[in-house]
Every structure is written in structure tokens, then in C-alpha cells.
Amino acid sequence: MRVDLNVPLDKSDEVTVTDDTRLRAIVPTAKFLLEKNAKLILCSHFGRPKGEIIEKGKNGRLTPTVPHLENLLGTTVTKADDCMGAEVEKMAADMEPGTVLLLENTRFYAEETKNGADLSAGLGKLADYFVMDAFGTAHRAHSSTAGVTQHMKMSAAGYLLDKELKYLKGAVDSPNRPLCAIVGGAKVSTKIPVISSLIEKCDTVLIGGGMIFTFYKAMGLEVGESLIEDDMVELAGNLMKEAEAKGVKMLLPVDVTCAAKFDKDAEAKVCAIDSIEGMGLDIGPESIKQFGEVIANSQTVVWNGPMGVFEFPKFAIGTFAIADMLAAATEKGATTIIGGGDSVAAVNQAGLGPKMSHISTGGGASLELLEGKVLPGVDALSDA
């Protein structure tokens, strides 16, 4: 079972898990398989080691996840020191039904990320069936997400992957309308494909975060010291034209919260977009109100990316306001989907996670699915 155990560790000791969201996410599928008396082999990457095959140091090892997993699954988890080879094959062969074996970090092998044939075959020797439940890596064609399936009798999606596909694909393929997308984050360049594909499918697209200044520049506005991607100005202008041609409302903030410098203690000042001073670090109060009206009138809302520098409390107001408004919309029956990355961190920080319809466990995978791309880790599974 390919899972995503790539959890953050406390920097001071490198063993304490600081956020177990990803560990909790594997429980439904793992418990189902254990109840069916499967011999369950868990397989994951951890961090980004440079493929130094099994360094004997502790860094990059999956060992810190073991106590957490044992607690969540209510059973002993035996840990291997490698993810393929004779020793691991013997451990797998000696397993009793209903027990768990955790393989070592697949990325200790450089070929993992190249979908190498040897690692795919090595993993394939350990089991008869493959379950993909690591949505966060489903957009990568790696040995442990795609190549391994060629060596299995059958490959299936786990409950987590199934839920992600249902919500994210459902949101763009057959949503309850009106459908609104909120796209934030610092850079237009990383979000152009997703904005373009959302224009095809949405009724309204709300834009926030640092990328708004590239759009303002395309509109001929001065943006002071704000973040700007000069090579993206023309593309931003084209996206606005594209939205207009398709009758899709693309809303940019009408005011921004600015500061003289990029500093959590800098003085915050609200500016209209035609008189920006210093650098814009958040969307302003009037914009929050306008965005709120759109959210309140939508039946499906997908959110990816913060509205400002939410790590600084003074410039987190826009991001947390969006989280609050989505929680209220969910309560009134709307479907709200938090599509990975920093928006998930913001929602969890606000303690509003349980109030959203779906919080995605994938960053890049969520974006690619919203773009309408086929994910290699899904494509490799057996046809249902």
C-alpha cells in the first residue's frame, strides 16, 4: 500500500511528529485491509534525500512515524531497514495475516523519482496486490506510485485517493453551480495553467495573494514596491481577456493592505488599487466584503492559495476571513474544497478544518487535477 507518511518533524529533535494529518489519512484503508486479514506492507517516501542508498544516519528514515502509526492502527508496526532486497523479501514472506510491515524511505534510491525498473521490480516482489492511497504523490510517475503496478496481480485506489478524486474531479466536472474558484499565492507563473482551466469551468474566479500585482500591472496600474513578475504581465492580461470572452467573472481585489517593508511588525495601511504605497501584503477590507458576497452566493467553492502573507498576523486578515466565510458557506449547504498547500495550513491554523467539505492532502496533485490532467499514479491502476 503506497501511502504518504511525509510528515513534518520538530526541528529541535528530528523525531517528534508535529502534524499527523497525513498519518491519520491512511487509517481507513489500512484498517479495512487489516480487518480482511491482509498482510499489509506500507511504503512511502520521506523528505528529499539525494538517493544516498540507505545512509546509516537517522535523517530521512521513517522510524519516527512508527509509534504514531502503532497508536492510530492499534497494532504493532514492524519496520524494515530497506525497501527492497533479500532481507526485506524474507520479512514480507514471514508475515502473519493481519500484521503490518513498514518499508524504509523509497527515496533512498535515486531511481525512485525516475520510475526505475529495478526498484519497481524489487517492490513488486514483496506483494501480490497494490493499493494506491498517496494522493499527494499521484501526480508523479515514480517506481512506488506507477512502475510497481506492472508487477502486481491487480492495483486499486484506497479510500483516501478515491475521496480526493471524487471531490476534486467532481468539483470541476459536474459541480453544483454557481461554481467559484479562489486562487491565491505569490506567483502567477505557478498558477497560470490552473487559472486558465478554471476559467473554462467556473462562474466566478477570485484572485488574491501576491500574484494580483502582475494583473494590476497588466491593467496599467502602478504597484509600488509590490511583488511583480514582469515576464507574466502579458499572460495575466490575456487571462483577463479570456475570462471576459467566456462570460466568466474574474474579480481582483479593489483595495490592498500595504506596508513600507516586508516585516511582521510593519505598519499596515489600506490603499485603493490606484494609489498603492509601499508593498501590498494582503487584500483589503472592501475586497473581503466583495469576495464574501460571491462566496455566499456559490454552491461549490474551490480554494487554492492564501490571500496575503498569512504568516504575519497583521497581513493574515484576508486569508482567515476567506476561511471563516467558507466555513459559513459549508454550514449553509455549499460544497467547499480546500485544494492543498498553504490554504490547508491556514484553515487548520484557524481551527476550521472540520467545517470544510473536503481538505485535500495534495498540493501539486490537487492543482494538476483541477487543471484536468491525468495523474500517473491513478492512470497506472487496474480498470474498475
Side-chain angles (χ1 to χ4, degrees), residues 82-93:
D82 203 335
C83 60
M84 69 170 185
E87 200 179 306
V88 185
E89 283 167 39
K90 186 178 182 326
M91 288 177 87

Side-chain angles (χ1 to χ4, degrees), residues 5 100 156 162 176 183 247 258 264 282 295 323 356 364 372:
L5 306 180
V100 184
D162 192 49
N176 285 333
V183 185
C258 300
K264 71 175 182 2
D282 193 10
I295 291 167
M356 307 295 167

Side-chain angles (χ1 to χ4, degrees), residues 356-371:
M356 307 295 167
S357 308
H358 179 63
I359 292 190
S360 181
T361 53
S366 311
L367 279 178
E368 293 200 8
L369 207 52
L370 292 171
E371 279 167 41

Side-chain angles (χ1 to χ4, degrees), residues 322-338 347-348 350-359:
I322 295 288
D324 278 331
M325 296 188 286
L326 289 183
T330 318
E331 214 167 295
K332 288 191 182 136
T335 301
T336 52
I337 298 159
I338 315 302
V347 165
N348 287 337
L352 294 170
K355 298 198 164 164
M356 307 295 167
S357 308
H358 179 63
I359 292 190

Side-chain angles (χ1 to χ4, degrees), residues 2-7 19-28 45 132-139 158-165 167-168 303-304 337-345 348 358-367 369 375:
R2 177 57 160 100
V3 290
D4 183 0
L5 306 180
N6 193 22
V7 290
D19 179 356
D20 69 349
T21 307
R22 285 178 170 163
L23 303 187
R24 282 184 282 117
I26 77 161
V27 172
H45 71 287
M132 176 63 175
D133 216 20
F135 176 68
T137 51
H139 62 310
Y159 291 130
L160 172 68
L161 180 64
D162 192 49
K163 184 181 179 212
E164 292 274 17
L165 294 173
Y167 269 102
L168 289 161
W303 180 23
N304 183 290
I337 298 159
I338 315 302
D342 286 336
S343 346
V344 173
N348 287 337
H358 179 63
I359 292 190
S360 181
T361 53
S366 311
L367 279 178
L369 207 52
L375 307 183

Side-chain angles (χ1 to χ4, degrees), residues 149-312:
T149 61
Q150 291 163 11
H151 304 275
M152 296 287 170
K153 290 178 185 169
M154 190 184 278
S155 303
Y159 291 130
L160 172 68
L161 180 64
D162 192 49
K163 184 181 179 212
E164 292 274 17
L165 294 173
K166 191 180 96 194
Y167 269 102
L168 289 161
K169 274 188 76 58
V172 290
D173 293 348
S174 53
N176 285 333
R177 293 190 179 274
L179 167 62
C180 163
I182 308 167
V183 185
K187 293 186 166 179
V188 162
S189 48
T190 55
K191 301 280 171 86
I192 278 190
V194 80
I195 294 172
S196 186
S197 117
L198 288 167
I199 288 169
E200 294 287 330
K201 292 160 177 161
C202 290
D203 301 292
T204 313
V205 179
L206 309 177
I207 308 279
M211 69 167 87
I212 59 177
F213 303 106
T214 304
F215 285 94
Y216 292 155
K217 189 94 185 256
M219 291 158 65
L221 294 168
E222 294 298 323
V223 296
E225 306 295 309
S226 306
L227 180 76
I228 186 118
E229 288 177 282
D230 284 314
D231 54 341
M232 291 287 149
V233 172
E234 194 182 333
L235 262 170
N238 290 342
L239 284 172
M240 290 190 279
K241 285 186 196 129
E242 203 181 308
E244 198 179 340
K246 297 215 159 70
V248 172
K249 271 198 226 123
M250 185 190 269
L251 282 192
L252 285 155
V254 291
D255 58 349
V256 287
T257 302
C258 300
K261 56 183 191 290
F262 188 82
D263 186 324
K264 71 175 182 2
D265 300 317
E267 194 179 325
K269 180 183 180 186
V270 177
C271 301
I273 59 169
D274 56 4
S275 55
I276 291 171
E277 294 171 30
M279 55 179 72
L281 299 179
D282 193 10
I283 62 173
E286 193 51 43
S287 307
I288 291 172
K289 212 166 96 187
Q290 288 190 5
F291 283 15
E293 284 164 15
V294 174
I295 291 167
N297 289 310
S298 298
Q299 284 301 310
T300 307
V301 187
V302 181
W303 180 23
N304 183 290
M307 296 291 101
V309 186
F310 79 104
E311 298 82 354
F312 298 169

